[in-house]
Amino acid sequence: DPMDNDCRLGPLVSAAQRDKVLNFIQKGIADGAELLYGSGKKPTEKGFFVEPTVLRVNSDRNTVWNEEIFGPVLSVMSFKSEEDAIRIANKSKYGLAAAVFTADVSRFARINNKLKVGIVWNNCSQPCFCQLPWGGPKLSGNTTRDLGEFGLKKFLEPKQIVHYVAEGALDWYNTSSL
């Protein structure tokens, strides 16, 4: 019950966003995704809630695989090998983040180095630390970052200021020896 005080997932920001997420779920199912968890429906008439939903896709051409949904929807796809998983992940037009679930530190390092994303989580998903940069390549920020020191840079306009205080001319181009 999303209205229960113990509920850990809140509502979306508006009815329009809720409806957009619900439409993505229905479009994904129409494109061949299998509904593994959730109903793809509003769980209550009160508030802008969407039931957490997991969809299994069998093609990287499915709408829910290729779009940032901004709702409680997880699209999953099987892969044959570590290399296949990296290829599938890097094929995305987005590059905000990736989550790698493995206890093998060497495997995590190897995969992390090959993923073309701005954030990589190991054995978790979406913790947000305001001290760390948030953003990614491709259509997920086009290399800009929010949060942390990196996030401040887009609000700054660097300027070089030189105040020459020595006696005499700077004589940058000494032409006396020519």
Side-chain angles (χ1 to χ4, degrees), residues 105-119:
V105 176
S106 297
R107 171 178 265 184
F108 173 72
R110 186 173 57 248
I111 293 170
N112 173 46
N113 289 334
K114 293 177 182 176
L115 288 171
K116 296 175 184 168
V117 296
I119 304 164

Side-chain angles (χ1 to χ4, degrees), residues 3 9 17-18 45 74 78 97 100 122 135 138-139 141 147 152 163:
M3 301 307 291
L9 183 64
Q17 182 61 25
R18 177 201 58 211
E45 289 303 315
L74 175 64
S78 297
V100 178
N122 184 212
K138 306 179 194 179
L139 295 180
L147 304 179
L152 294 174
H163 184 84

Side-chain angles (χ1 to χ4, degrees), residues 20 24 60 62-70 86-98 114-119 135-143 145:
K20 184 177 178 182
F24 266 122
D60 61 10
N62 192 298
T63 300
V64 294
W65 187 259
N66 286 299
E67 297 300 326
E68 292 181 317
I69 298 174
F70 296 108
I86 293 165
R87 180 193 59 75
I88 292 168
N90 286 339
K91 188 176 176 184
S92 173
K93 63 185 172 183
Y94 300 106
L96 177 60
K114 293 177 182 176
L115 288 171
K116 296 175 184 168
V117 296
I119 304 164
K138 306 179 194 179
L139 295 180
S140 293
N142 292 322
T143 69
R145 299 294 187 267

Side-chain angles (χ1 to χ4, degrees), residues 37-105:
Y37 184 85
S39 66
K41 297 182 178 138
K42 298 185 289 186
T44 179
E45 289 303 315
K46 187 175 180 182
F48 309 128
F49 294 95
V50 172
E51 185 177 14
T53 303
V54 179
L55 298 167
R56 180 182 9 225
V57 299
N58 56 13
S59 167
D60 61 10
R61 291 183 296 276
N62 192 298
T63 300
V64 294
W65 187 259
N66 286 299
E67 297 300 326
E68 292 181 317
I69 298 174
F70 296 108
V73 179
L74 175 64
S75 301
V76 297
M77 182 189 307
S78 297
F79 54 90
K80 296 177 182 143
S81 65
E82 186 177 295
E83 293 77 22
D84 189 37
I86 293 165
R87 180 193 59 75
I88 292 168
N90 286 339
K91 188 176 176 184
S92 173
K93 63 185 172 183
Y94 300 106
L96 177 60
V100 178
F101 288 84
T102 180
D104 184 332
V105 176

